[in-house]
Amino acid sequence: DLTIAVVGATGAVGAEFLRIVEQRYAPDRRKAAMASQRSAGKRIVVGGEELVVEEATADSFEGVDVAFISASSAVSRELAPHAVAAGAVVIDDGSAFRMEANVPLVVPEVNGEDVEWHEGIISIPNCSTTPLVMAAHPLRELSPIRRVIADTYQSVSGAGASLVAGLREQSERLIDADHSSTASEPGQIAYNLIPQIDRFMDTGYTYEEQKMRQESRKILHEPELLISATCVRVPVYVSHSAAVHIEFDRPVSVGEAREALAGMPGLTVLDDPANAAYPMPWDVSGQDDVFVGRIRQDLSNPNGLAMWIVSDNLRKGAALNSLQIAEELLSRNRLKPRAANASVQA
C-alpha cells in the first residue's frame, strides 16, 4: 500500500482527490492534512473523519511514496524538489512542469507508457486537454489527424473555489437585473460567458488555449499537429464541455468513429439525439468517464467529423487522472511502497 501526500487538500481538486481515495481504496488508513500556511488549522472531513490541516513544508515528505500537488505553480516549484529528494514521486496538477522535456505529461489511457521515463515528477494536463486527447487517441487509429479545432465551455470550478462562490453570489444578486440597461460587471460570470481564460498572448490566443495546443501535441507524441482552441468560461459549477472538429487524412464515417470511441477505456459514447441523449455538464458531474455525443460528419469538410465532449474537470480532468497515474506506476513496477501500512496526508 502507498503513503500518499496531498498538498492543497482545502482546494476543489484536493478535496475531490481525497473523496476518490476514499471511494477507491480501503478506508482504514491514517490521514493528516497539509496545505499552505494560510489554511493551517482548518478542519476538513474525509470519509467521516475530521482532519486538521497542517502547513506543507520542505520537510513534510519523509516516508511519502506519492506526493500529489494541487496548488500554485510557485508552490509546486518550491515543494516538488524536496518531495523528490525525500524519495517520493510527485504527480503535479499545475502547469509548472508540464512542458519540461524531462517531465512526462500523462493521461494513462493515452500514453501510460510515458511514466517509464519519469525522473521524479510527472505532470497531468490541463483539465480541458484531457478529454480532447481521450477522444482524439482512438480516432487517430482510423486515420492520421490533420487538424483539430476545439471550442471549450469551461466550468467555474476550473478556476477554483473563489469563482464557484462568486457564481453563486452573483447569480443571487443579479437575478432581477435589467439586462437591457445594465452593463456586465468586471469579471461577471453569472448569466454571462467570458471568452478569456488566463492571460492573452501576442498571437491573440490566451495561455489556456496555448496550453491545449502544446499539451495535446506532447501527450499524443505529434509535435506538428495543427490545433486551434477558443476557451470560454461559462456559468456552470462543474464539468467542462467542448465542441470539437477533427480533420483526417481520409473520410471517417460516423459509424467507424462511434465504434472506435466506444472501445476506448474511460470514455462513454452517449449519442442518441433523437431521444435527447447527449452529454451535459449537470449529468456528467461526479462521473469518472469522458462522455462523447453529437458525433456527425462535418458538412464543411468531407474528411471531417464534429462532436461534443463533456467531462468532470475535477475528476478525470485532475484528481482521478492523478490516481490513475499512481496506479500505472504500480502496474509497471515503477513505484514500490516503502511503508507497510498505507496512509494519506492531505
Side-chain angles (χ1 to χ4, degrees):
D1 289 328
L2 294 177
T3 300
I4 304 173
V6 186
V7 178
T10 56
V13 173
E16 190 69 21
F17 184 97
L18 290 170
R19 279 192 289 270
I20 298 172
V21 167
E22 289 299 321
Q23 294 165 3
R24 244 172 136 86
Y25 305 117
D28 55 339
R29 53 183 73 223
R30 180 179 61 83
K31 304 177 185 72
M34 276 198 299
S36 66
Q37 183 180 31
R38 182 184 59 207
S39 298
K42 288 185 178 179
R43 296 177 181 271
I44 59 176
V45 177
V46 180
E49 180 182 353
E50 186 177 72
L51 308 178
V52 179
V53 175
E54 302 170 5
E55 181 182 0
T57 70
D59 300 320
S60 297
F61 302 99
E62 234 13 84
V64 169
D65 297 304
V66 177
F68 170 61
I69 301 179
S70 180
S72 67
S73 291
V75 170
S76 293
R77 291 194 180 279
E78 178 188 353
L79 293 181
H82 294 289
V84 173
V89 175
V90 171
I91 300 176
D92 188 65
D93 178 42
S95 60
F97 307 106
R98 285 176 185 156
M99 298 312 300
E100 294 193 5
N102 64 333
V103 176
L105 182 63
V106 176
V107 176
E109 297 92 336
V110 177
N111 64 327
E113 69 278 0
D114 283 355
V115 303
E116 296 279 0
W117 53 269
H118 80 84
E119 298 177 6
I121 299 173
I122 298 174
S123 279
I124 68 170
N126 190 33
C127 46
S128 56
T129 300
T130 299
L132 178 63
V133 298
M134 287 278 289
H137 179 60
L139 294 176
R140 66 178 172 160
E141 301 300 319
L142 302 175
S143 172
I145 294 174
R146 286 186 174 180
R147 185 183 186 208
V148 176
I149 297 176
D151 300 319
T152 70
Y153 306 81
Q154 298 179 214
S155 67
V156 294
S157 57
S162 62
L163 196 55
V164 173
L167 172 57
R168 183 174 291 110
E169 184 273 329
Q170 291 174 20
S171 297
E172 294 173 352
R173 179 165 47 84
L174 297 171
I175 192 167
D176 294 321
D178 183 352
H179 295 236
S180 64
S181 61
T182 305
S184 64
E185 304 172 352
Q188 179 184 323
I189 184 60
Y191 312 105
N192 214 11
L193 301 177
I194 303 175
Q196 177 188 354
I197 299 177
D198 216 317
R199 67 184 184 274
F200 278 104
M201 306 170 63
D202 292 341
T203 59
Y205 284 81
T206 65
Y207 188 51
E208 181 86 355
E209 293 156 357
Q210 176 77 349
K211 284 189 288 188
M212 285 191 70
R213 178 173 176 264
Q214 293 179 328
E215 293 172 14
S216 297
R217 287 174 161 184
K218 183 173 181 177
I219 295 164
L220 295 170
H221 299 169
E222 296 193 25
E224 303 302 322
L225 183 62
L226 299 175
I227 301 178
S228 178
T230 300
C231 296
V232 181
R233 188 72 71 195
V234 299
V236 169
Y237 285 117
V238 178
S239 298
H240 290 355
S241 306
V244 176
H245 293 251
I246 301 179
E247 179 182 350
F248 301 91
D249 272 353
R250 67 163 181 86
V252 173
S253 72
V254 171
E256 286 180 288
R258 282 202 187 105
E259 184 176 356
L261 291 165
M264 175 69 177
L267 193 148
T268 293
V269 174
L270 180 61
D271 190 23
D272 185 9
N275 292 302
Y278 32 70
M280 292 183 287
W282 183 278
D283 302 325
V284 168
S285 176
Q287 302 294 315
D288 287 344
D289 277 7
V290 172
F291 286 74
V292 182
R294 300 276 335 264
I295 305 165
R296 61 202 187 276
Q297 295 293 153
D298 185 340
L299 295 180
S300 71
N301 184 346
N303 290 358
L305 290 174
M307 64 198 68
W308 175 248
I309 305 172
V310 186
S311 70
D312 184 322
N313 55 292
L314 300 179
R315 292 184 77 88
K316 184 54 183 171
L320 175 63
N321 198 68
S322 300
L323 278 171
Q324 288 175 317
I325 289 172
E327 293 167 353
E328 188 77 22
L329 287 164
L330 283 170
S331 71
R332 294 174 178 270
N333 294 315
R334 295 286 291 150
L335 180 64
K336 291 182 170 56
R338 294 178 292 168
N341 298 312
S343 67
V344 176
Q345 296 179 313

